[in-house]
Amino acid sequence: MKKNFLKICIFMAVVGLSSCTKDLDRTPTNATTSEVAYSTMDGYKQVLAKVYGSFALTGNTGTSSSDLAGIDPGQADFLRLYWNAQELPTEEAMCVWNDPGIPDFHYMNWTSNNVLLAALYNRSLFHITIANEFLRESTDDKIASRGFTGKDADEIRTYRAEARYLRAFEYWVLMDLFGNPPFVTEKDPIGKYIPPQTTRTELFKYVESELLAVEPLVMKARTNEYARVDQGAVWALLARLYLNAEVYLGKGNTKYTEAITYSSKVITAGYSLKKNYNELFLADNDVNNSEIILPIAYDGVKTQNNGGTTFIINAAVNGDMNPASFGIPGGGWGGNRSTSSLPLMFGDYSGATDKRAMFYGTKLDIDDVSQFAEGLRVTKFRNVTSTGTTPSAPGGAYCSVDFPLFRLAEQYLIYAEAVKRGGTGGDAATATTYLNTLRERAYGNKSGDITSYTLDDVLSERGRELYWEGFRRTDLIRFDKFTSSSYVWPWKGGVKEGKGAESFRTLYPLPATDLTANPSLHQNTGY
């Protein structure tokens, strides 16, 4: 599958980070000096590719390399780590594996020693480190000193704005999951610098200010290269940020009006829903797809690792499902499936009514957590094209399905929720129309249309529309259901019938390794 931006040579060196915040602000190094690397336009774009590539790659030298120390490279991909943290502690997914850290998510008993949480934390900080280095080398003074003027200089400034966005995205990830991480920018010293800890409130203001600052600097919505940041991506993250503002800033600090404003910007920017829902998650979902606003681009040849959509697809398939039909003829790891609560959101979960219901299996309930055949498998992601072919990749081992970080459907749902929560600038009639637009695609007709809706209806619709896309933990927290004893699912809290969990688990702990390495850090409450 053709991914133009992925064809760029990514040459920045691997940086090992185990307890990474102590040395967070440092320059990635290799035999190529910065003066050589940034001496041409191609050089700048190559380094920008590394900033983007930190989403899709674990390291620079193949499947056995990793930018992170202390974890198997196969588990070091951003999406694999993020997906586990966002999906496995919810009703949408449960894994049969007993790999260190995995059962902690289901049973909601993780600690600061969870290796997967530490790796996600370090992956986000590594990405910030790479972005900071690019930003140091793309100031106006640096651009001028290297002889770039006119159109070339302006293009580098656009690259710079994109890097600022990617850094802001990772700070949003850290804010959402860990709350109070260390904080460093390109303006801080390089070397043995111990970054101070920020607060969730301060980080919210920073992410907001960065997004607003880059909004006029990036390319207009739907005009940039595929899989690169534009104004649509900025608006989409702002809308998501504002929808969750009360979680991040505390009770009463709502920004639903702003969520309506920015989701509306996306909705009216020329994006449109993909006609067939299932084609959003196939191997050619980069082609003629005006619903995806910003993806992580994966290619079975150019981004080989056992994370990303390779992980999502393989972990949901085993031998009795004919892996070849999923575009992974040599794959099928038999790990992740749903609890009964996810298919039951659809009522009829056969897919005959709501085509978004894509499940395999006959046993709805999980009685034995070690048995992959218990619980329905999710078949939403497939490494085949819309014409049924499997992309070229060595042995069919790696997948070419891009993962949508942002797509139009989410913005419809943000608008509807923000209106129902009291935001101004929108109206219930328009919100209902947006919800029905999603449902008409799902049903293929108007038989599923609604005339009014509640907040719980929005949460259920988000579950049906966005399941397995990394939203559910954040959604359940916003709806006060994540740790609640009044909203349970099978095996929540470590018991088959489900139970509530401690309220402090709405935040993950800072890794114990970084608490040791960075004396400025204080652990989150409860850990």
Side-chain angles (χ1 to χ4, degrees):
M1 182 163 48
K2 187 176 182 180
K3 311 279 190 188
N4 289 333
F5 196 54
L6 289 176
K7 289 179 177 291
I8 298 170
C9 172
I10 298 173
F11 68 92
M12 294 291 284
V14 172
V15 179
L17 296 174
S18 50
S19 297
C20 70
T21 60
K22 190 171 183 180
D23 299 320
L24 179 60
D25 202 347
R26 58 180 174 177
T27 304
T29 59
N30 60 12
T32 304
T33 67
S34 62
E35 291 309 311
V36 173
Y38 296 94
S39 63
T40 65
M41 289 299 296
D42 282 346
Y44 265 100
K45 196 166 188 179
Q46 286 169 342
V47 184
L48 179 66
K50 174 61 180 179
V51 184
Y52 278 96
S54 293
F55 271 136
L57 300 170
T58 59
N60 289 354
T61 57
T63 59
S64 62
S65 70
S66 175
D67 298 315
L68 308 181
I71 188 169
D72 185 289
Q75 296 181 308
D77 161 84
F78 169 79
L79 181 56
R80 180 169 180 165
L81 294 164
Y82 184 71
W83 192 95
N84 283 335
Q86 287 287 85
E87 294 291 348
L88 291 182
T90 78
E91 76 273 52
E92 291 192 350
M94 192 169 190
C95 187
V96 305
W97 302 331
N98 278 314
D99 298 26
I102 290 289
D104 301 351
F105 290 122
H106 311 314
Y107 303 146
M108 304 184 91
N109 62 1
W110 51 79
T111 70
S112 61
N113 291 309
N114 184 289
V115 65
L116 300 178
L117 288 176
L120 174 58
Y121 175 92
N122 288 340
R123 170 60 68 184
S124 292
L125 291 174
F126 173 81
H127 201 175
I128 289 166
T129 301
I130 295 297
N132 281 341
E133 170 60 13
F134 183 85
L135 293 171
R136 288 190 190 96
E137 298 293 340
S138 57
T139 62
D140 284 344
D141 287 346
K142 291 279 190 179
I143 293 170
S145 70
R146 290 166 180 153
F148 295 104
T149 60
K151 182 180 177 180
D152 286 347
D154 289 341
E155 188 168 353
I156 294 171
R157 293 186 185 101
T158 300
Y159 296 168
R160 178 180 175 83
E162 293 176 42
R164 288 175 69 181
Y165 174 93
L166 296 174
R167 179 178 64 181
F169 177 88
E170 288 290 12
Y171 270 129
W172 168 75
V173 169
L174 290 168
M175 176 180 64
D176 185 74
L177 277 78
F178 299 97
N180 310 288
F183 180 76
V184 67
T185 72
E186 79 279 12
K187 297 178 182 179
D188 292 307
I190 298 173
K192 294 292 184 179
Y193 171 71
I194 298 178
Q197 185 172 25
T198 189
T199 67
R200 222 178 192 186
T201 298
E202 291 168 344
L203 198 49
F204 179 96
K205 293 176 181 177
Y206 173 78
V207 171
E208 178 187 33
S209 66
E210 280 290 278
L211 294 174
L212 293 174
V214 302
E215 179 186 1
L217 304 178
V218 297
M219 295 184 70
K220 294 186 181 302
R222 305 184 65 241
T223 65
N224 207 346
E225 283 183 279
Y226 178 77
R228 284 179 57 190
V229 172
D230 61 15
Q231 286 183 338
V234 175
W235 299 333
L237 182 50
L238 279 166
R240 190 184 294 179
L241 178 74
Y242 289 135
L243 184 69
N244 290 284
E246 190 170 24
V247 174
Y248 304 144
L249 300 176
K251 290 294 184 183
N253 294 292
T254 63
K255 290 186 178 290
Y256 298 122
T257 295
E258 292 88 342
I260 291 170
T261 297
Y262 284 94
S263 60
S264 296
K265 283 179 177 286
V266 177
I267 291 167
T268 59
Y271 298 97
S272 60
L273 294 184
K274 189 81 170 170
K275 181 180 179 181
N276 297 316
Y277 178 82
N278 70 303
E279 291 183 3
L280 283 164
F281 312 102
L282 299 181
D284 57 352
N285 63 349
D286 61 320
V287 179
N288 298 323
N289 191 343
S290 59
E291 180 171 348
I292 293 180
I293 299 164
L294 181 67
I296 301 177
Y298 290 99
D299 185 283
V301 176
K302 301 181 185 302
T303 60
Q304 293 182 7
N305 66 76
N306 287 322
T309 51
T310 294
F311 157 72
I312 292 174
I313 294 168
N314 275 275
V317 176
N318 74 342
D320 71 359
M321 297 171 67
N322 184 15
S325 69
F326 291 84
I328 49 170
W333 305 340
N336 294 325
R337 77 286 206 206
S338 70
T339 76
S340 59
S341 295
L342 174 58
L344 290 176
M345 287 182 200
F346 291 89
D348 173 13
Y349 52 83
S350 69
T353 304
D354 187 330
K355 297 177 181 62
R356 296 172 298 187
M358 290 182 274
F359 301 102
Y360 178 96
T362 58
K363 193 172 189 305
L364 187 66
D365 296 315
I366 299 173
D367 296 313
D368 183 344
V369 297
S370 69
Q371 296 302 309
F372 182 61
E374 296 192 9
L376 300 189
R377 299 69 153 319
V378 172
T379 60
K380 180 172 175 174
F381 293 83
R382 289 175 178 259
N383 187 42
V384 295
T385 69
S386 53
T387 60
T389 61
T390 300
S392 174
Y398 304 104
C399 297
S400 294
V401 181
D402 295 345
F403 185 86
L405 291 173
F406 298 93
R407 59 185 180 91
L408 177 61
E410 180 203 0
Q411 302 303 307
Y412 285 160
L413 291 159
I414 288 175
Y415 181 101
E417 183 178 338
V419 165
K420 184 59 68 173
R421 290 188 184 274
T424 60
D427 62 86
T430 302
T432 302
T433 298
Y434 290 156
L435 293 175
N436 282 335
T437 299
L438 298 178
R439 293 173 68 81
E440 286 166 15
R441 173 173 65 177
Y443 283 67
N445 53 47
K446 294 181 178 294
S447 63
D449 280 12
I450 58 175
T451 57
S452 63
Y453 67 95
T454 66
L455 275 176
D456 280 343
D457 290 335
V458 175
L459 179 62
S460 295
E461 198 64 40
R462 288 184 68 92
R464 289 185 287 267
E465 179 69 30
L466 302 172
Y467 69 99
W468 276 40
E469 293 181 55
F471 288 95
R472 198 60 176 178
R473 170 193 160 274
T474 300
D475 287 349
L476 292 176
I477 291 170
R478 188 174 65 257
F479 278 81
D480 293 323
K481 296 180 184 292
F482 184 61
T483 59
S484 171
S485 59
S486 62
Y487 184 83
V488 298
W489 52 85
W491 298 103
K492 178 180 180 179
V495 297
K496 181 180 176 182
E497 64 275 14
K499 68 174 185 177
E502 303 97 331
S503 60
F504 66 78
R505 294 196 182 277
T506 56
L507 272 182
Y508 285 124
L510 303 182
T513 49
D514 264 7
L515 291 172
T516 300
N518 186 344
S520 75
L521 299 180
H522 299 280
Q523 185 57 277
N524 291 328
T525 300
Y527 296 103

